[in-house]
Amino acid sequence: ETIGDIPIIVAYMYAVEPDALKAVAERLLQKLGDGAVVLGSVPAEGKVSLVAAFSKPVIGKGLQAGKFIGGIAKLCGGGGGGRPNFAQAGGRDASKLPEAMETAKTQLEKALG
């Protein structure tokens, strides 16, 4: 999906470990060039893993990956953070992940639209 001229990917990936999720997010952002990638996974029962990767134009619109993903992780009973361009977070309530991913998409649309 593209918002304005910035492509975004918000996706739920089944049972992907945190390190692999990080690698996938980095690779997707490389392929997009400029854009925003937010991925979520449930690597094990009772665990949620989240990653956000933002390019410079996205950061220029006032979004920071660390603050963004921390807020999304709170919806899943967790927290996290990182740098403005890349961040990881975790949570404990996997049942909230679909809602959290929808919230991430909505927040990106508002910020970039």
Side-chain angles (χ1 to χ4, degrees):
E1 188 174 334
T2 302
I3 300 169
D5 58 350
I6 298 176
I8 68 162
I9 296 173
V10 178
Y12 171 65
M13 301 180 71
Y14 302 91
V16 176
E17 291 296 321
D19 287 344
L21 202 64
K22 177 182 172 188
V24 170
E26 289 172 337
R27 200 163 298 134
L28 285 171
L29 190 60
Q30 276 181 339
K31 286 195 182 287
L32 289 178
D34 288 328
V37 177
V38 179
L39 303 177
S41 174
V42 180
E45 192 173 328
K47 291 189 80 143
V48 174
S49 182
L50 296 158
V51 173
F54 294 168
S55 67
K56 285 183 181 172
V58 174
I59 296 166
K61 298 239 182 205
L63 288 173
Q64 292 189 11
K67 290 178 182 172
F68 184 87
I69 207 67
I72 299 302
K74 281 183 185 166
L75 299 173
C76 297
R83 301 184 311 272
N85 64 322
F86 191 87
Q88 287 184 282
R92 295 177 299 280
D93 189 349
S95 70
K96 299 285 188 190
L97 185 57
E99 177 189 334
M101 298 308 289
E102 193 59 41
T103 299
K105 184 177 178 185
T106 301
Q107 287 182 3
L108 285 172
E109 288 170 347
K110 282 183 186 169
L112 301 175

